[in-house]
Structures are given as structure tokens and as C-alpha cells.
Amino acid sequence: MHTGRRQGPEIWLRGPVTTPEPVPPEPAHAHAAARRFSWVGTHGGAGVTTLAAVYGGHDCGRSWPGPGDPPSVLLVARTHAAGLDTVAGAVEIFRRGRAPQGLDLDAVVLVADAPGRLPRPLAQRVRALESVIDVYRVPWVPSWRLGEPGPPPRETGALARLTGAAR
């Protein structure tokens, strides 16, 4: 028998269901372990040891990561012409598939070789690198010359987040 009254879904018949106030979920990164990286210098004096001390991760010096080292690689170079040459060559090794198997190139980290702005020819070379790979820039930090690593420089927030050094 049709009463003329439309019936909706079952919830309409039962009424609203009350639930406790929802608790907002924690961000996914709150429980995730910080990703570990292997810092690989593309030339002597690139700053690998200091970067590993400041940002965490494994200091590989100028060697490829070994079997027990993190396979995620951050290539490191200074921003002088020779440093930019060596890091471009190392990026090319990865691009051509000639890096040791199992390693992943995550980014290039360029450490300032002197205070102030880069000369135009060097800045152009950095832009060319940025067109093929993520590049993180680390400014000149006078205290690092004195062997005082300290916290990551404010200008390197993106690198600190990448490495898990952001606090």
C-alpha cells in the first residue's frame, strides 16, 4: 500500500548517528623516519663532512656509497668553476646509467666558495644544472671555516626539510 510518503535511505529512517568529536590525523611525516642520504663530494674540499655534520646522513667523502650506506645520493660541489665542472660530470654519470647499481641521485648541493653573489658565468652554469636536476644552494657560512658547524643556515630550509634536519 502506498501512503504517498517517500522513504529515503535507512539513515533517514533511523535519524542522525552521533559520534565523538573527530581527532585530526597527525601528518604522515610525524611517524616516518627521516630519509637518510649519502653525501658524495665531486672534488676535494667540497664540504661533505660539514654537510653531514649539519644535516645528518652518511659522509662518503669522494667515494660512492658502499653496500651498507644509504643509496640516496646528494652530490656536493663548491660553486667555483672547477667544482661546477666536476658536479656536471657526476650528474652525467648518473644520466648515462654509469653510476653503481642501486644508487639514486636525489639532488646536487652547491656550497658557496666565497661570500657574496656568484659571477654571471658561474650563475649561468648553476642555472644549466638546475634545468636537469634539483639543486640546493648553501651560502657562505663563516663559522664553518672555524670548524663550528652549528644549525643549518636559515636560507637552506628546503635542504633541511629534505634531509630531516629541520627542527
Side-chain angles (χ1 to χ4, degrees):
M1 172 177 197
H2 182 57
T3 61
R5 188 171 146 202
R6 288 183 63 200
Q7 290 194 359
E10 182 181 341
I11 191 165
W12 290 1
L13 299 174
R14 289 187 290 132
V17 177
T18 59
T19 58
E21 192 69 26
V23 177
E26 289 187 46
H29 61 81
H31 296 292
R35 186 165 181 196
R36 293 208 45 232
F37 291 91
S38 287
W39 300 90
V40 177
T42 61
H43 58 86
V48 170
T49 300
T50 300
L51 292 172
V54 171
Y55 297 93
H58 182 72
D59 177 352
C60 287
R62 293 178 58 196
S63 302
W64 292 119
D69 301 334
S72 297
V73 173
L74 295 173
L75 292 175
V76 181
R78 293 285 179 168
T79 54
H80 49 60
L84 295 174
D85 283 345
T86 60
V87 77
V91 168
E92 188 66 11
I93 288 170
F94 273 95
R95 193 184 76 70
R96 293 180 182 263
R98 294 186 178 150
Q101 191 170 8
L103 296 184
D104 295 315
L105 176 57
D106 281 278
V108 165
V109 179
L110 297 177
V111 180
D113 67 310
R117 296 180 62 162
L118 283 177
R120 179 172 288 175
L122 298 178
Q124 290 171 336
R125 292 173 69 180
V126 170
R127 282 192 294 280
L129 262 176
E130 290 171 333
S131 72
V132 296
I133 184 85
D134 289 336
V135 174
Y136 294 88
R137 304 269 307 267
V138 177
W140 180 259
V141 182
S143 64
W144 289 2
R145 291 184 84 192
L146 302 172
E148 303 167 0
R154 192 173 31 248
E155 304 89 338
T156 64
L159 179 59
R161 285 187 296 279
L162 174 72
T163 61
R167 294 180 195 1

